[in-house]
Amino acid sequence: MDQLLALARQGDKGAQEKLFGFLLVRFTLLAKRRMREEEARDAAQDACLTVFQKYRTEAPAERFEAWAYAILRRKIGNCYQKQDVRERVMGDGTRIDDVADASGGTLPPHIRNALLECLRKLVRTFPRYARALNLVYQGYDTEEVCRRLRIRQGYVYVLLNRGRDMLNECLEKGGAQ
Amino acid sequence: MNIRECTDADVGALLHAYEIGGLAEKDVERFEIHVLQCDHCYEAVQAFAPWAELLRTDRGIRSLVREAVEAPESAGSRLRRWGRYLWPPWPLPFRPAVIYLVILVLLYPTYRWWQRSSSPSVRDIQAIMLVPSRASTQEGVLKAGRDAAVTFVYRGAIPGKRYQVRLTQDGGAVIFTDGSYTEFDKYETGHLLLPADRMRPGGYFLEITDPEGSPPENRQTYHFQILP
């Protein structure tokens, strides 16, 4: 991204186009975690437009991505305000029920069934993952999860990623065999 | 998924915690900024997004996980867990069951050796008491293959005095002889230990003589048998 940014700043149109295409997909992915797909696309495009207008003059030479990310977060916040859903909070505090209502119906049922099957298998073979996941569901962050499972901070990430890999492997096979 | 490496493994490690919504706000921010410039993590998040969304939001999945965690472990599941622990899908030499078996096989000879060396070596021994009687000789019976302690009496024996003790087979072969036997105690009793390897089945004479006495009163003879 740094290379694209440097070329875009020098006036390379192709690099500029690539840079904003690159940013747009990432912004959309991050925004979708907090809002409906259409709103996420709007917020991502809005953020990209602001970055486009200001990146030559206001963006710092280093940590461009942090600067661009701050713009995205602002746009998402504005979007919430416009929709008068002030009770929603950003990031970790996102209200699950709101998101569930927003996205629950968009996924085909076979995806959910496959995940359920794989998860059933995983909680049997890797119960520590299930315990960590359950604590997250209860609203604890990873520090608290570590304390409750009596494991080191770094290990909870290893544990979760290992569970994810097993889950992913199972899903790639098309569900539990 | 792309095989490119993550540009910052420390932040990349937050991947699944981020996906399931388990990060504190500052870590969410750190990870999302990282995703903007790390292709590996972007592609990982992108590819797993539908599952991550369900994991974060689906009530059925939450119930499944909660029930699995809270359900008491049944005996069957405990057995299965042990089975999985002892026989996981690893290469055969690394499976715990195989490792424990090898350890046992190696430990057994050590245990036997230790048992043998630590237990006191008690030898099975038989005893016979020969005392004078009206018969001309005293009969006793021993069994071959075991050491024998022979206790015999010589009337008028004095402790510390020298006597002649001779053990002969019926055929006349001398098995043992001692011309200066001084082991009689104050009860006129002497002892001999006959090792099993020297004693063959047959009849034996034990003859005790006082060299200072006059024959035939100075001689006491006992006879005993060793049976096969």
Side-chain angles (χ1 to χ4, degrees):
Chain A
M1 187 164 74
D2 292 343
Q3 211 175 352
L4 283 176
L5 179 65
L7 290 171
R9 274 179 165 156
Q10 287 164 16
D12 185 331
K13 295 278 182 197
Q16 184 173 277
E17 206 169 303
K18 267 190 184 172
L19 175 67
F20 284 96
F22 178 95
L23 272 182
L24 183 62
V25 289
R26 281 162 174 75
F27 278 179
T28 308
L29 177 71
L30 300 182
K32 270 164 71 177
R33 192 166 176 269
R34 298 184 172 83
M35 54 214 323
R36 291 186 183 89
E37 191 160 352
E38 286 166 18
E39 295 166 359
R41 285 186 200 287
D42 287 347
Q45 280 179 357
D46 206 6
C48 272
L49 188 64
T50 305
V51 171
F52 179 70
Q53 287 164 349
K54 297 182 177 176
Y55 83 99
R56 288 177 201 275
T57 52
E58 291 184 22
E62 289 184 353
R63 302 283 294 160
F64 166 78
E65 59 274 4
W67 173 80
Y69 176 74
I71 291 173
L72 173 68
R73 292 295 296 262
R74 222 165 29 242
K75 295 295 177 190
I76 292 172
N78 291 346
C79 197
Y80 280 145
Q81 283 179 342
K82 276 182 202 165
Q83 291 174 6
D84 198 26
V85 283
R86 291 174 208 279
E87 73 274 20
R88 298 192 200 216
V89 287
M90 294 287 284
D92 184 52
T94 304
R95 277 181 49 176
I96 298 295
D97 293 348
D98 289 351
V99 180
D101 292 345
S103 58
T106 60
L107 293 167
H110 73 271
I111 289 185
R112 182 176 182 273
N113 292 341
L115 182 63
L116 273 170
E117 279 303 304
C118 287
L119 209 53
R120 262 190 208 109
K121 190 179 168 190
L122 185 62
V123 296
R124 282 199 305 270
T125 54
F126 193 17
R128 296 192 92 183
Y129 173 78
R131 285 205 293 277
L133 191 57
N134 191 45
L135 287 171
V136 170
Y137 285 161
Q138 288 173 33
Y140 298 113
D141 65 15
T142 48
E143 273 181 36
E144 188 65 17
V145 172
C146 291
R147 206 174 63 75
R148 287 178 173 258
L149 293 181
R150 294 177 186 170
I151 54 177
R152 284 183 294 111
Q153 173 84 29
Y155 185 65
V156 75
Y157 300 128
V158 174
L159 186 149
L160 288 172
N161 287 331
R162 196 170 147 223
R164 179 192 192 272
D165 290 344
M166 290 164 79
L167 202 54
N168 209 16
E169 193 182 340
C170 174
L171 290 165
E172 278 172 6
K173 285 180 189 167
Q177 299 300 311
Chain B
M1 189 184 293
N2 200 306
I3 55 166
R4 278 171 289 188
E5 289 290 313
C6 174
T7 55
D8 185 342
D10 286 344
V11 186
L14 307 178
L15 172 64
H16 196 47
Y18 168 77
E19 287 173 330
I20 60 173
L23 288 180
E25 180 55 26
K26 63 176 176 16
D27 288 329
V28 171
E29 196 165 301
R30 202 153 65 102
F31 185 79
E32 289 190 331
I33 291 171
H34 170 74
V35 167
L36 288 182
Q37 48 91 27
C38 174
D39 290 339
H40 174 87
C41 289
Y42 164 70
E43 284 170 22
V45 173
Q46 170 82 332
F48 201 74
W51 318 116
E53 187 182 313
L54 282 170
L55 280 173
R56 274 199 313 276
T57 62
D58 192 279
R59 289 193 181 95
I61 285 171
R62 285 166 170 250
S63 306
L64 170 80
V65 172
R66 191 182 58 244
E67 282 162 18
V69 170
E70 290 171 2
E73 198 175 31
S74 67
S77 66
R78 263 200 301 277
L79 271 178
R80 274 198 298 279
R81 195 156 58 87
W82 265 101
R84 278 197 303 274
Y85 168 70
L86 289 172
W87 205 254
W90 298 346
L92 195 66
F94 300 110
R95 293 181 184 181
V98 175
I99 292 170
Y100 292 146
L101 186 69
V102 169
I103 289 172
L104 274 179
V105 167
L106 292 177
L107 278 181
Y108 184 69
T110 315
Y111 168 72
R112 289 303 302 265
W113 171 82
W114 173 80
Q115 204 183 26
R116 218 173 294 143
S117 64
S118 64
S119 61
S121 54
V122 177
R123 293 168 70 180
D124 193 12
I125 198 163
Q126 54 189 328
I128 187 170
M129 179 78 179
L130 302 171
V131 293
S133 70
R134 291 181 182 212
S136 58
T137 54
Q138 171 74 27
E139 277 291 340
V141 176
L142 294 170
K143 287 200 81 174
R146 290 157 68 189
D147 294 341
V150 179
T151 302
F152 49 91
V153 173
Y154 182 79
R155 278 213 181 116
I158 301 164
K161 188 181 171 185
R162 297 189 335 172
Y163 294 87
Q164 287 178 353
V165 174
R166 209 158 75 125
L167 181 67
T168 55
Q169 261 185 317
D170 279 353
V174 176
I175 303 298
F176 168 79
T177 181
D178 185 353
S180 55
Y181 182 84
T182 56
E183 303 299 320
F184 281 105
D185 58 21
K186 63 181 179 179
Y187 304 107
E188 304 171 344
T189 304
H191 307 275
L192 273 183
L193 183 67
L194 308 178
D197 55 347
R198 291 183 61 184
M199 307 307 289
R200 302 279 174 263
Y204 287 84
F205 285 102
L206 178 65
E207 192 178 273
I208 305 108
T209 310
D210 178 3
E212 293 171 10
S214 52
E217 289 80 13
N218 67 340
R219 180 175 298 167
Q220 174 72 53
T221 303
Y222 296 105
H223 186 257
F224 61 87
Q225 292 279 338
I226 295 185
L227 301 176

